Amino acid sequence: MTADLLPLLKQNFGFSEFRDGQAEVISATLQGRDSFVLMPTGGGKSLCYQLPALTMPLVTIVVSPLMSLMKDQVDALKANGIAAEFINSSLSREDILSVFARLRRGELKLLYLAPERLLQPAFLTRLEDVGVSLFAIDEAHCISQWGHDFRPDYMALAILKQRFPQVPIMALTATADAATRHDIMQQLTLQQPYVNQGSFDRPNIRYTVQEKFHPLEQVISFLQRQEGAAGIIYCASRRKVDELTEQLKQRGYNAAAYHAGLSNEQRDKVQDAFKRDDHQLIVATVAFGMGVNKSNIRFVIHYELPRTIEAYYQETGRAGRDGVAAEAMMLFDPADIGRMKRWLDAEPNQQRAEVSWQRFLAMAAFAAAQTCRRLVLLNYFGEARQQPCGNCDTCLQPPQQFDGLELAQKALSCVYRVGQRFGMHHVIDVLRGSQSQKIIEMGHDKLSTWGIGKEQTHDYWLSILRQLIHFGLLQQDITAHSVLKLQPAARTVLRGEVSLSLAEPRIETAKREPERLVKQNYDRALFAKLRALRKHISARDDVAPFVVFSDATLIDMCQQLPTDNNSMLAVSGVGQTKLARYGADFIDEISDYLAEDNQPPVGKLTR
């Protein structure tokens, strides 16, 4: 059945074949079955309902949580020549009436709505009159109380099965553990749904965790390797967003802040500038992201530890949606764990607080892991793997172990000598022989442990103390200003009765990026010219650049060097509609470049 749709797939979306899972979901939908679709961000979820919508007699209703997300998807569909519209508060009354008229005349294939508008009684009655072929519930994890982005408005979508019992429902999400998946299907009362649980693996994303020492310099070092690519930096608070944005601006970066403390107009302006490549760097709280349908984000940085692996996976998944190599870098300070514990202690719902705490501990374990990070992620989501990925920091640069017994004894002894009444930095000052006023006033310069660790730097000792906390030898008392306290297990270490292997602290940020797992051999100079052309066309047509062509499509152009319509149609992401709209401009740009560079129009690149 789906093989018959391949010409439609190429003509309207520019792809010659389906991705994993798409054909099966589409087939089930065309048979009138409910379905639950779990695919990673960038895995092609949208196509699962967009392509069958073209063949169905009535409209497909798409439930989407954010206005900007609706607009981006509708712009992309229209660029492909597909009859799609959205209705939300950004439209005038006249525009909404125009969409209603098109709906009534049967001219629309897809209509995007927020759950609040869809569930208005008058609107449901209108849909009963015109008829619906399919309901697609995007970001379906919002319906579950166990989902990482629960939204009460989504729960009322259960009424759809009551009002439209014969219309199939497709629930789609990129992030849901077993409890969330079960809750989604139960809340929507899906009837014997076809379940597609695709792989959670995003092999094009490199996962890296750095211990947080000098966070601003670590971020700057990372950004210097990105060559001006688009990226997002997530911070835990509005204050930190504003502070980091200003610091980056002072360093010459074109950064913009985004958080709930800004007005709607300010947030919309920042998000629109980012989508149009006018801003390449966004510093944001988690309020930013779900509505960003931008395929050419090349990196995501987490300045602090996220609350759950689900949130981390969803946020890092905003990078590399086009399948091109991308990076996810996180700075980890174990003190984040204490801050989260204090926050959850104020949660009135104890059951929810306990679940949240366990999920956060899983996130902390991921950050502290010394095994393949991709394996930790995949196994968390129930996708059992044992083979390391070769594209995360622990695979590319495995932690070096050493006999840490003597260093541990020095650190534990110092904690004991200062009376277990001080935090990390004071203990380190004593170990390194500081002569600060506080040390002298406390008389800690007279302790036997004063200066016994002066050979190591402050950051080195910080890493060692954190590892001793991970091993359960020390505890930070979050109820008493995070003072360090010895744990029972420390006794055998202090007595030298056990061996102790520690990881060599990674203090210096890597200056050289290891070889990427995803090979990308293409002409960077030509890519820059095509990207500039794309930006010009996007401004002319008032759409985001990635709506014209994705980075992956531009890269394929650089590799195939099309100089006529037939060869341009062979490029991934180029269909008949986009060929007609944009093909001539890009063919001319490539032909001019080849002529200037005296290169042949076909064959392997030699640059």
Side-chain angles (χ1 to χ4, degrees):
M1 181 184 296
T2 51
D4 297 336
L5 297 180
L6 287 175
L8 202 61
L9 177 68
K10 179 59 181 175
Q11 176 181 335
N12 289 279
F13 298 96
F15 303 123
S16 300
E17 57 185 21
F18 291 108
R19 296 187 188 180
D20 289 345
Q22 288 179 331
E24 292 79 4
V25 174
I26 291 170
S27 179
T29 300
L30 293 177
Q31 293 170 31
R33 293 184 61 184
D34 292 340
S35 55
F36 175 83
V37 181
L38 181 63
M39 286 184 181
T41 302
K45 291 188 300 298
S46 299
L47 194 74
C48 291
Y49 58 82
Q50 289 173 349
L51 186 61
L54 302 185
T55 69
M56 291 175 161
L58 305 173
V59 70
T60 289
I61 299 296
V62 184
V63 178
S64 184
L66 295 173
M67 291 191 297
S68 58
L69 188 60
M70 297 179 201
K71 184 179 187 307
D72 286 348
Q73 294 200 344
V74 169
D75 282 348
L77 287 167
K78 286 182 175 179
N80 284 323
I82 296 170
E85 294 290 353
F86 64 85
I87 296 177
N88 60 38
S89 59
S90 70
L91 299 183
S92 67
R93 184 173 182 275
E94 290 73 20
D95 288 337
I96 293 175
L97 290 176
S98 175
V99 174
F100 280 159
R102 295 191 65 194
L103 179 65
R104 186 174 60 255
R105 293 193 298 266
E107 296 176 358
L108 295 180
K109 285 299 181 181
L110 296 111
L111 177 60
Y112 285 71
L113 304 160
E116 301 88 342
R117 183 174 295 272
L118 169 62
L119 296 172
Q120 291 174 357
F123 195 86
L124 289 173
T125 300
R126 186 188 298 269
L127 289 182
E128 287 174 330
D129 291 340
V130 300
V132 176
S133 283
L134 172 67
F135 287 104
I137 314 299
D138 204 7
E139 308 291 353
H141 55 271
C142 294
I143 203 171
S144 173
Q145 61 177 324
W146 306 121
H148 69 278
D149 194 23
F150 171 59
R151 300 189 180 203
D153 291 326
Y154 260 66
M155 292 190 72
L157 292 171
I159 197 175
L160 293 179
K161 267 299 175 193
Q162 300 172 26
R163 297 286 293 266
F164 302 87
Q166 304 305 316
V167 178
I169 293 178
M170 182 187 297
L172 307 102
T173 180
T175 319
D177 59 13
T180 304
R181 294 195 293 268
H182 180 266
D183 201 25
I184 291 170
M185 289 185 276
Q186 189 175 52
Q187 293 282 354
L188 290 173
T189 61
L190 302 186
Q191 304 299 306
Q192 298 181 321
Y194 173 77
V195 177
N196 179 89
Q197 185 174 330
S199 173
F200 282 91
D201 193 10
R202 295 285 306 280
N204 63 313
I205 297 180
R206 169 171 297 162
Y207 299 104
T208 301
V209 178
Q210 291 184 13
E211 200 168 348
K212 186 183 286 187
F213 293 111
H214 304 289
L216 177 60
E217 297 308 319
Q218 288 171 281
V219 167
I220 297 272
S221 177
F222 179 87
L223 293 178
Q224 288 172 343
R225 303 198 307 271
Q226 301 307 312
E227 301 177 349
I232 305 171
I233 304 177
Y234 282 109
C235 299
S237 68
R238 301 176 190 179
R239 180 189 62 79
K240 179 54 68 178
V241 166
D242 291 334
E243 177 185 297
L244 182 57
T245 302
E246 188 57 37
Q247 290 172 328
L248 291 172
K249 284 181 177 179
Q250 291 174 2
R251 296 293 190 98
Y253 287 94
N254 181 16
Y258 186 105
H259 54 68
L262 302 174
S263 68
N264 289 337
E265 183 180 359
Q266 289 173 309
R267 293 200 301 272
D268 289 345
K269 183 178 180 182
V270 168
Q271 185 159 303
D272 190 58
F274 184 57
K275 288 188 297 188
R276 294 175 183 274
D277 289 345
D278 294 332
H279 282 314
Q280 291 295 85
L281 186 59
I282 298 296
V283 186
T285 61
V286 294
F288 182 82
M290 183 182 287
V292 181
N293 187 32
K294 181 177 168 70
S295 65
N296 63 334
I297 297 172
R298 300 267 65 88
F299 65 89
V300 170
I301 299 173
H302 281 88
Y303 204 76
E304 288 101 358
L305 198 62
R307 292 181 180 180
T308 67
I309 286 183
E310 288 90 345
Y312 173 75
Y313 180 83
Q314 183 95 349
E315 288 151 15
T316 57
R318 286 161 192 151
R321 293 178 60 149
D322 50 12
V324 179
E327 295 194 69
M329 194 267 275
M330 179 170 66
L331 299 178
F332 173 48
D333 181 351
D336 292 342
I337 299 173
R339 286 191 285 270
M340 175 57 70
K341 186 68 169 70
R342 287 193 293 274
W343 182 80
L344 287 174
D345 284 344
E347 168 64 53
N349 185 327
Q350 285 305 301
Q351 182 187 16
R352 189 165 182 82
E354 179 59 28
V355 171
S356 297
W357 177 239
Q358 294 304 317
R359 285 181 167 170
F360 181 75
L361 289 179
M363 183 70 243
F366 168 86
Q370 297 191 42
T371 55
C372 171
R373 300 202 190 275
R374 199 176 310 273
L375 290 185
V376 177
L377 279 179
L378 296 179
N379 283 293
Y380 175 84
F381 287 116
E383 187 174 337
R385 296 253 191 117
Q386 289 77 41
Q387 187 66 34
C389 73
N391 195 32
C392 70
D393 57 333
T394 56
C395 284
L396 292 165
Q397 297 174 318
Q400 299 298 310
Q401 302 290 315
F402 72 100
D403 181 357
L405 181 62
E406 183 179 344
L407 282 177
Q409 288 174 327
K410 289 180 178 180
L412 297 172
S413 296
C414 191
V415 172
Y416 176 76
R417 296 296 178 187
V418 299
Q420 303 182 72
R421 295 187 295 111
F422 295 88
M424 281 191 184
H425 297 293
H426 185 84
V427 170
I428 292 172
D429 284 346
V430 174
L431 284 168
R432 299 191 66 242
S434 169
Q435 295 184 343
S436 68
Q437 182 178 350
K438 181 180 179 182
I439 293 287
I440 294 172
E441 287 178 354
M442 301 295 299
H444 289 171
D445 57 329
K446 304 296 192 297
L447 298 176
S448 60
T449 52
W450 183 81
I452 62 173
K454 59 185 177 183
E455 297 83 4
Q456 281 78 34
T457 66
H458 182 281
D459 291 341
Y460 189 98
W461 276 115
L462 191 61
S463 177
I464 296 300
L465 287 172
R466 287 170 173 172
Q467 291 184 63
L468 297 181
I469 292 171
H470 295 161
F471 280 118
L473 305 175
L474 287 173
Q475 180 188 52
Q476 281 183 295
D477 188 347
I478 62 174
T479 67
H481 308 292
S482 294
V483 304
L484 293 175
K485 293 187 176 180
L486 296 171
Q487 297 300 289
R491 294 175 183 172
T492 55
V493 174
L494 285 167
R495 293 170 183 163
E497 296 173 355
V498 295
S499 60
L500 183 64
S501 180
L502 297 176
E504 193 67 43
R506 291 178 173 175
I507 299 169
E508 295 296 326
T509 301
K511 296 291 190 283
R512 180 181 63 83
E513 183 178 6
E515 184 75 11
R516 289 186 185 275
L517 180 66
V518 180
K519 302 293 184 184
Q520 295 173 288
N521 298 316
Y522 61 93
D523 189 325
R524 262 63 177 180
L526 176 57
F527 179 79
K529 286 180 174 292
L530 296 183
R531 188 164 62 177
L533 173 60
R534 179 180 67 180
K535 184 75 167 66
H536 170 75
I537 291 174
S538 72
R540 180 195 71 194
D541 293 356
D542 193 27
V543 295
F546 59 86
V547 169
V548 178
F549 286 126
S550 69
D551 277 8
T553 297
L554 296 189
I555 288 172
D556 204 24
M557 288 182 192
C558 292
Q559 293 170 329
Q560 297 200 43
L561 302 175
T563 54
D564 56 39
N565 285 351
N566 287 336
S567 56
M568 180 61 83
L569 273 175
V571 172
S572 177
V574 180
Q576 291 288 352
T577 302
K578 287 195 174 181
L579 175 67
R581 289 184 179 178
Y582 311 124
D585 290 330
F586 283 86
I587 288 171
D588 288 347
E589 188 72 36
I590 293 168
S591 298
D592 289 347
Y593 180 77
L594 294 175
E596 291 170 6
D597 218 24
N598 196 29
Q599 287 198 30
V602 294
K604 297 281 187 180
L605 285 177
T606 57
R607 291 177 62 83

